[in-house]
Amino acid sequence: MDERESLYFDTISLADSEAAAAAAAHRKSISQSRNTIYHSAVDLAGDENRSSLRLGVENAALAWQPGYRQSTALEHLNGNGNGNGNGGGDQTDAVIAAQMIAMQNGRGHLPTGIGASTEGNNSGGFGNGGGGAGRGAGGGDDEVSRRLLRTSSNISNKDKKLPITYSQWKSRTYRRFDDGKRSVDFVLAYNGEDQLEEHRRKREIFEANLQREGLQLEHNKVQRVHFIKIHAPAEVLYRYAEVLKIKVPLKPIPGQDQIFAETAHEFKSCLSRMCRSLFSSVQLNSELFPEREPRIHLEFSKNYLELYDTEHPNFLDASTRYSIISFILQRQHFVEGEETADNLGIEKLVQDGIYTCSYTLHDKDDRDRLLKEWANISKWKNLQPLDQIKDYFGAKVALYFAWLGFYTKMLIPISILGILCFLYGFITWGSDPISRDICDDNGTIMCPQCDRNCDFWRLNETCTSSKFNYLIDNNMTVVFALTMSIWAVVYLEFWKRYSAGLVHRWGLTGFTHHVEHPRPQYLAKISRSRKLAGKTTTLDPDVPFWSFKFLPNFTSYSIMVLFICISVIAIAGIIIYRMAQRASHSILGSENSMTFKVMILPMTAGIIDLIVISLLDMVYSSLAVKLTNYEYCRTQTEYDESLTIKNYVFQFVNYYSSLFYIAFLKGKFVGYPAKYNRVLGFRQEECNPGGCLMELCMQLVIIMAGKQAVNAIVEMLIPYLMRTIKELSYRHGWYKSHEDQRLVPYNQFTEDYNLLPAENNSLYVEYLEMVVQFGFITLFSLAFPLAPLLALLNNVLEVRLDAIKMLRFLRRPVGMRARDIGVWQGIMTVVTRIAVASSAMIIAFSTNLIPKIVYAASSGDIELNNYLNFTLAVFNTQDFQVQPLLGESQHVNETVCRYTEFRNPPDDPHPYKRPMIYWKILTGRLAFIVIYQNIITMLQGILRWAVPDVSGRLLKRIKHENFLLREHIIEYEKQHAMKLVQTEVSVGQQKAESNLRQRQSETANRRSEEATSFV
């Protein structure tokens, strides 16, 4: 028998234990109709007096059938659809209905009038045993219900029940309580075989406290994993919405349309309409995602309940409800007596294994709509439904996707500029005097690049690499660097402006984290502290910094510095490997090959660097969480910021250190053949005659593209494989231990149980990936103008892949409020300022711009015809510090060689010393850095001043809304006060009239008594 059938029948409402035994006895015959369940008419009507259906079997022994398919009851009724009633012994739904009815009434036989036949081609009959049921093929579950209702007329009143099909039952209880009305807002899961009395007692206390808060609970104990379904009534939501100061939309206020019209005026110009029609293909489906009317938001208060628009989608939406329930779960005790912070919250219960997990449920309809229109790679060019994302995941997740989408769109213009710069270099390939002179040169002999085993080599061997170097080191280089520096500031300022509008639209303007409640883990940490035990009587004490917080913070950041040193040592090891060049020489070919020196060696070093970076990243990421847990972080915001800062500082060094080395150190302090500067006995690396920019480009591409590939595998492939393996293991019973019995997913909370948990800081990885990428393109894209294009292509997919991951592979996260992207905004601002200095130094020291300008100014050679010879110094081979072993080389008799440096020739009175031209070039480089940095900083300051964080229109709208809101509340209070006065007056009048009538009655009675006495 199929497990879903078993679960299906186990959840019907049976009358008593005898009925349960009868149900078990008839399980085999009942299973012939997979999709039919019969509730009483009271059950189907959803009697509010019944809070749940009683469970017939609490711990069913289930067996999985891989060949299961969810067929309809009508298929079995029609003899499996062959039209002649052949059912192979199957019974009709009418017979099964009668059996179920009898069992529900404690009887083990069929009622009178219901017959059954299992022979030949007769699968059953409606009272007369005929086999013609298959000829009346109907239209699904409704047809089955209709026939069963008609047939039930032959059943006695005692046995009559109203049938309901499996599909109908499933749709009623898929993510609802068994009454089919109350929605499941939260789920707790625990191992049903956990027999520890302590665990059971803590669960009972915790659940009792939840019910005391007003939450409604319902147990599901059908399988090994038991579930507790939680529903939050409106009264609970209202109470905590007021406590948490949640803003909700108001009903339309007189005068608000004029405010909205003024704000929307900027979007109704002719140009905006033309752009909207031009890009109509990227617009959202207005039928699935209709545009919402703007509303004014106000902090919730039960005193103003009549003012709120309870029908608006933003009024206590799903994410808000889940956040309220999560807030309650985190602050309920599970130990009677002394209630301390150490026995507080669901996270502590999950950590101790009392519950296995707690999570919110995905909504099938909303998720399917988002999967179809948003989390779909084929919709890569479409806009994102940010309002619906906010309703589904909360503002914090919605802001991440809004930021990622905005960042991706801002990459488009800079990507186009990068393509133009690259095309410029390609078109003007042949006009570069340096590469032309290198390729045309046949007589220049260069000095060996290592001490013993390297031979002299000809300059024209670097012809190809010099041409490629020109693609990124040309006249457009400075223009691209200048534009990138301006673009970074424009992007950040416009994002703040754009996000302010989103936050206001979602009713989060003015939200701050200062009123954020403390983390339960923080309170537990304080409660365990002996030093604080006698000093505080409050639940949330003020923890001194120097006596408590300093040591954990110092330890945490010291370990961070230690790992930074390890990362630097690893990079230094790779540099020494490049200096030694021995392992690669023996494997990859001749040490004198220019292909090896220019291409293979940098590529292998870059791949090794990527592997080392990734390994250190994984180790430190897990360690950073433990270090942050060791600190005293009061709120979740403080915790996230501390974790983010520690991780990003390490990642900054880890990912960028090798690039900084190539850009600023390689080839700058080599020395000269008579006196090389050495590290551990090895000569320092030299740049090619064209410069180190080409190698910086290769290293950037390898690390940037490799990191994106690794992240895609970690984020998508690994969760997919984990979920697939877990589902197959449960489905086929691959787990051998009794504790790991398979879990059958037959409703929303059992399906979501198999998904991966969504952590509170789950967005940290996504933010870190994008901010590291932002650093690549702002700090080093000068070396590779196509880097923004690579980032753009990656991000177009990243938006959809992140959406797929959150909707398919992760449980639904608890919605959290946010007004910005947090500390990441400040990090990108700092990176932007560092990028200015980085670009200036790369242009000054890694390109030929300044030497060309100085040479042209000092020699008058505007065409730079002799520039190559100007950059090469002369060396006498007799002056070698270590004579090379040339063997049978054709250059045995060479007396002079050239090397890339600015030094005096050997016949100068001061041989091999720095000439005056070197100091002029150095002065020019330093002057360029100062001038460039000051100009860019000034331009960035002007842009920050010219582009305010909040637009003038939005500020004006907020001001008018606040004024209108105050007036509306004042008017409401006046009307409410007048009603109270009128009520009091009316009550007073009624009381006065009642007193008057009472006095009149008393007077009449007294006169009557007097008259009687007189008579």
Side-chain angles (χ1 to χ4, degrees):
M1 178 181 176
D2 191 279
E3 288 184 344
R4 300 188 190 186
E5 301 165 15
S6 178
L7 293 171
Y8 168 50
F9 289 116
D10 286 341
T11 52
I12 62 175
S13 178
L14 300 179
D16 50 29
S17 59
E18 294 182 3
H26 288 77
R27 182 72 55 80
K28 182 175 180 180
S29 61
I30 293 171
S31 65
Q32 304 299 327
S33 178
R34 301 188 175 191
N35 289 355
T36 307
I37 183 170
Y38 301 91
H39 286 305
S40 65
V42 176
D43 293 333
L44 184 62
D47 187 1
E48 296 179 356
N49 296 325
R50 302 184 58 186
S51 61
S52 64
L53 298 176
R54 294 185 340 189
L55 304 176
V57 181
E58 291 189 356
N59 295 287
L62 306 176
W64 179 265
Q65 290 184 1
Y68 172 82
R69 68 184 181 89
Q70 184 174 321
S71 56
T72 64
L74 190 59
E75 289 182 34
H76 302 283
L77 179 67
N78 292 332
N80 295 332
N82 58 7
N84 58 8
N86 280 335
D90 285 354
Q91 299 182 15
T92 63
D93 287 318
V95 178
I96 298 171
Q99 289 177 334
M100 289 300 304
I101 291 165
M103 287 187 293
Q104 286 177 327
N105 288 276
R107 294 160 50 184
H109 61 275
L110 296 179
T112 304
I114 300 295
S117 175
T118 58
E119 298 181 1
N121 60 356
N122 293 332
S123 63
F126 296 105
N128 56 8
R135 299 185 183 93
D141 293 337
D142 294 338
E143 177 66 16
V144 173
S145 298
R146 184 182 63 79
R147 295 189 183 191
L148 291 173
L149 284 170
R150 184 180 65 228
T151 307
S152 66
S153 61
N154 296 326
I155 305 175
S156 62
N157 292 333
K158 179 181 179 181
D159 293 329
K160 182 174 290 188
K161 298 288 180 177
L162 188 63
I164 176 173
T165 64
Y166 171 78
S167 300
Q168 293 170 333
W169 169 76
K170 182 177 179 180
S171 64
R172 279 180 46 186
T173 61
Y174 191 66
R175 64 187 314 273
R176 294 182 178 274
F177 279 30
D178 288 341
D179 59 12
K181 288 187 175 182
R182 292 172 293 170
S183 63
V184 178
D185 296 326
F186 224 94
V187 172
L188 306 180
Y190 64 95
N191 186 0
E193 299 173 354
D194 182 5
Q195 302 298 328
L196 292 178
E197 180 64 23
E198 180 185 2
H199 288 185
R200 185 190 64 79
R201 182 59 181 162
K202 287 183 177 180
R203 284 195 294 267
E204 289 180 353
I205 296 173
F206 185 72
E207 292 164 18
N209 288 333
L210 293 181
Q211 290 177 324
R212 198 171 292 115
E213 289 290 336
L215 297 178
Q216 298 175 2
L217 276 60
E218 182 177 83
H219 289 258
N220 180 289
K221 300 182 179 180
V222 175
Q223 305 191 67
R224 173 185 63 83
V225 179
H226 292 183
F227 299 94
I228 301 172
K229 297 178 280 187
I230 301 176
H231 172 75
E235 296 79 9
V236 177
L237 297 176
Y238 292 166
R239 182 168 71 250
Y240 277 94
E242 190 168 5
V243 170
L244 297 176
K245 301 183 182 300
I246 296 174
K247 287 187 176 183
V248 293
L250 296 171
K251 294 177 181 178
I253 300 176
Q256 71 174 23
D257 293 339
Q258 181 180 357
I259 299 176
F260 299 151
E262 292 176 357
T263 308
H265 176 72
E266 58 182 325
F267 302 107
K268 296 182 179 180
S269 63
C270 179
L271 180 61
S272 63
R273 289 195 299 269
M274 183 180 66
C275 293
R276 189 176 183 87
S277 61
L278 183 63
F279 297 101
S280 58
S281 61
V282 305
Q283 301 298 323
L284 291 171
N285 188 336
S286 58
E287 296 181 358
L288 296 176
F289 304 107
E291 186 175 355
R292 294 179 179 174
E293 296 182 1
R295 284 287 194 272
I296 297 177
H297 291 74
L298 176 67
E299 286 185 2
F300 185 84
S301 174
K302 287 187 288 187
N303 295 332
Y304 304 129
L305 188 59
E306 299 177 1
L307 300 180
Y308 301 115
D309 186 359
T310 57
E311 301 299 325
H312 195 275
N314 277 3
F315 181 82
L316 298 181
D317 53 31
S319 63
T320 304
R321 294 200 311 271
Y322 300 157
S323 65
I324 290 175
I325 298 175
S326 177
F327 181 84
I328 298 174
L329 291 174
Q330 291 174 4
R331 284 157 178 82
Q332 297 305 311
H333 292 275
F334 50 84
V335 174
E336 289 183 340
E338 184 181 359
E339 295 182 347
T340 64
D342 200 24
N343 53 49
L344 177 73
I346 184 62
E347 293 186 9
K348 178 64 174 174
L349 290 171
V350 173
Q351 181 181 352
D352 293 343
I354 298 172
Y355 290 101
T356 57
C357 60
S358 65
Y359 55 94
T360 61
L361 298 183
H362 284 287
D363 185 275
K364 186 177 185 301
D365 295 334
D366 292 341
R367 179 164 68 168
D368 290 345
R369 182 165 61 251
L370 290 173
L371 282 170
K372 179 181 178 182
E373 298 294 331
W374 174 51
N376 189 341
I377 296 179
S378 63
K379 303 288 185 179
W380 62 271
K381 64 180 182 357
N382 287 31
L383 298 176
Q384 300 185 83
L386 296 177
D387 291 335
Q388 286 72 22
I389 297 172
K390 182 263 177 185
D391 294 343
Y392 196 85
F393 290 116
K396 188 173 183 179
V397 175
L399 275 176
Y400 163 73
F401 282 103
W403 169 76
L404 182 55
F406 184 85
Y407 169 49
T408 303
K409 287 186 285 188
M410 288 295 292
L411 284 172
I412 295 175
I414 205 66
S415 299
I416 295 174
L417 179 62
I419 294 173
L420 294 177
C421 292
F422 195 81
L423 289 177
Y424 172 83
F426 188 79
I427 294 172
T428 60
W429 187 311
S431 63
D432 178 38
I434 299 178
S435 59
R436 184 177 63 246
D437 292 345
I438 290 176
C439 294
D440 295 342
D441 185 277
N442 292 321
T444 303
I445 303 298
M446 303 297 293
C447 297
Q449 292 186 323
C450 61
D451 291 334
R452 288 286 187 181
N453 300 322
C454 296
D455 195 0
F456 295 93
W457 53 283
R458 294 187 179 275
L459 179 61
N460 59 6
E461 294 179 18
T462 61
C463 174
T464 303
S465 64
S466 65
K467 288 184 177 180
F468 279 107
N469 189 78
Y470 175 74
L471 293 177
I472 54 179
D473 184 7
N474 51 57
N475 296 332
M476 291 292 291
T477 301
V478 178
V479 176
F480 184 75
L482 178 67
T483 308
M484 278 298 303
S485 299
I486 300 301
W487 170 86
V489 176
V490 171
Y491 149 67
L492 290 176
E493 294 303 313
F494 274 91
W495 159 249
K496 289 189 287 187
R497 189 183 179 97
Y498 173 69
S499 63
L502 280 179
V503 168
H504 184 73
R505 190 169 80 203
W506 295 338
L508 292 171
T509 300
F511 172 74
T512 63
H513 297 288
H514 298 296
V515 295
E516 190 174 357
H517 290 73
R519 298 166 58 242
Q521 297 89 339
Y522 167 81
L523 298 176
K525 192 177 183 67
I526 292 176
S527 67
R528 291 192 296 266
S529 176
R530 295 181 180 178
K531 296 181 180 180
L532 285 175
K535 295 182 179 180
T536 177
T537 58
T538 61
L539 187 62
D540 183 17
D542 183 22
V543 180
F545 175 79
W546 291 106
S547 57
F548 285 91
K549 294 184 179 181
F550 173 74
L551 182 59
N553 289 1
F554 179 78
T555 304
S556 179
Y557 283 94
S558 297
I559 297 176
M560 179 194 73
V561 173
L562 174 63
F563 264 79
I564 288 175
C565 295
I566 294 174
S567 176
V568 172
I569 292 172
I571 299 301
I574 296 173
I575 294 171
I576 293 174
Y577 153 78
R578 295 159 62 119
M579 294 178 183
Q581 302 181 5
R582 292 177 181 175
S584 298
H585 285 178
S586 60
I587 296 173
L588 298 171
S590 171
E591 61 191 17
N592 293 319
S593 170
M594 279 297 106
T595 302
F596 170 78
K597 294 177 181 178
V598 177
M599 300 294 292
I600 297 179
L601 182 61
M603 290 179 63
T604 55
I607 294 173
I608 295 173
D609 189 18
L610 175 63
I611 295 173
V612 172
I613 286 172
S614 301
L615 292 176
L616 289 174
D617 184 8
M618 286 187 283
V619 172
Y620 182 78
S621 295
S622 59
L623 179 62
V625 176
K626 298 180 180 179
L627 294 176
T628 310
N629 291 336
Y630 182 55
E631 300 174 3
Y632 286 88
C633 298
R634 179 181 176 274
T635 64
Q636 187 65 39
T637 301
E638 292 179 7
Y639 181 89
D640 293 342
E641 290 182 354
S642 178
L643 178 64
T644 298
I645 292 172
K646 282 195 292 290
N647 269 287
Y648 185 77
V649 171
F650 172 76
Q651 301 296 354
F652 186 92
V653 177
N654 194 32
Y655 280 101
Y656 302 148
S657 55
S658 61
L659 298 173
F660 278 121
Y661 162 74
I662 296 174
F664 305 135
L665 298 178
K666 183 180 178 182
K668 306 301 186 296
F669 311 100
V670 176
Y672 57 99
K675 187 181 179 181
Y676 282 116
N677 298 320
R678 300 178 183 273
V679 177
L680 299 179
F682 299 107
R683 282 171 47 180
Q684 294 188 31
E685 294 182 283
E686 302 177 37
C687 293
N688 295 322
C692 284
L693 209 58
M694 183 65 188
E695 186 174 345
L696 178 62
C697 171
M698 294 172 58
Q699 189 85 351
L700 175 64
V701 172
I702 291 172
I703 295 178
M704 184 176 175
K707 182 181 182 300
Q708 292 175 352
V710 170
N711 287 335
I713 293 174
V714 170
E715 290 183 10
M716 294 301 300
L717 183 59
I718 292 179
Y720 172 77
L721 293 177
M722 290 177 63
R723 191 191 73 166
T724 303
I725 292 173
K726 189 175 182 180
E727 288 181 350
L728 291 176
S729 300
Y730 282 133
R731 183 172 297 178
H732 298 291
W734 291 349
Y735 291 130
K736 296 182 180 180
S737 64
H738 184 61
E739 294 181 356
D740 291 326
Q741 291 182 18
R742 49 204 172 275
L743 178 69
V744 183
Y746 69 101
N747 53 26
Q748 190 66 66
F749 54 85
T750 51
E751 290 177 2
D752 289 359
Y753 181 82
N754 291 328
L755 299 178
L756 300 178
E759 303 294 340
N760 288 337
N761 58 349
S762 59
L763 290 177
Y764 157 75
V765 177
E766 284 75 14
Y767 272 117
L768 178 63
E769 178 186 353
M770 292 296 104
V771 174
V772 168
Q773 181 199 88
F774 176 77
F776 280 132
I777 65 174
T778 53
L779 294 170
F780 305 107
S781 64
L782 177 64
F784 185 51
L786 296 182
L789 178 62
L790 290 181
L792 174 64
L793 297 177
N794 173 81
N795 292 1
V796 167
L797 295 178
E798 185 73 20
V799 174
R800 309 300 165 176
L801 293 179
D802 283 347
I804 292 172
K805 180 182 69 174
M806 297 194 70
L807 287 170
R808 288 192 181 276
F809 303 138
L810 298 181
R811 294 172 187 155
R812 188 172 180 174
V814 176
M816 298 178 66
R817 289 180 290 174
R819 64 172 182 176
D820 50 36
I821 59 176
V823 70
W824 298 107
Q825 179 80 31
I827 289 176
M828 287 188 290
T829 301
V830 173
V831 170
T832 300
R833 292 174 178 172
I834 296 175
V836 177
S838 174
S839 299
M841 295 178 68
I842 291 176
I843 294 174
F845 289 100
S846 297
T847 68
N848 293 305
L849 176 66
I850 305 302
K852 286 180 180 179
I853 295 175
V854 173
Y855 169 76
S858 60
S859 65
D861 183 9
I862 306 300
E863 300 295 331
L864 305 177
N865 293 321
N866 199 36
Y867 174 75
L868 180 63
N869 184 63
F870 168 74
T871 61
L872 299 177
V874 180
F875 183 75
N876 190 336
T877 57
Q878 300 298 322
D879 298 332
F880 271 120
Q881 188 178 23
V882 178
Q883 289 292 334
L885 300 177
L886 300 178
E888 299 180 357
S889 172
Q890 59 178 342
H891 302 293
V892 173
N893 298 322
E894 293 291 342
T895 59
V896 174
C897 64
R898 308 295 294 271
Y899 60 99
T900 307
E901 262 288 10
F902 295 100
R903 289 187 179 272
N904 293 327
D907 55 356
D908 191 87
H910 303 284
Y912 307 126
K913 298 298 181 180
R914 296 290 188 183
M916 183 56 65
I917 194 68
Y918 167 80
W919 301 108
K920 290 181 179 179
I921 293 175
L922 180 61
T923 303
R925 284 170 168 167
L926 296 177
F928 174 82
I929 292 174
V930 173
I931 295 173
Y932 179 89
Q933 192 164 356
N934 280 277
I935 291 176
I936 296 300
T937 302
M938 182 184 66
L939 293 176
Q940 289 179 343
I942 294 173
L943 284 172
R944 290 191 180 96
W945 171 80
V947 183
D949 295 348
V950 182
S951 67
R953 289 182 180 273
L954 182 57
L955 286 174
K956 183 179 179 181
R957 172 176 170 175
I958 294 173
K959 179 180 177 181
H960 289 173
E961 285 181 359
N962 290 336
F963 173 78
L964 191 64
L965 187 59
R966 288 194 299 269
E967 294 297 321
H968 185 60
I969 292 177
I970 291 172
E971 184 65 26
Y972 174 79
E973 292 287 359
K974 288 169 59 178
Q975 294 179 0
H976 185 66
M978 291 177 62
K979 289 181 180 179
L980 289 177
V981 171
Q982 291 176 358
T983 303
E984 292 176 358
V985 171
S986 177
V987 171
Q989 290 177 352
Q990 292 177 359
K991 187 179 294 185
E993 292 177 357
S994 176
N995 293 335
L996 179 61
R997 285 195 299 268
Q998 185 176 0
R999 287 196 300 270
Q1000 291 176 349
S1001 176
E1002 292 176 353
T1003 303
N1005 291 335
R1006 188 172 59 256
R1007 290 178 178 177
S1008 176
E1009 292 176 357
E1010 292 176 354
T1012 303
S1013 176
F1014 177 75
V1015 172

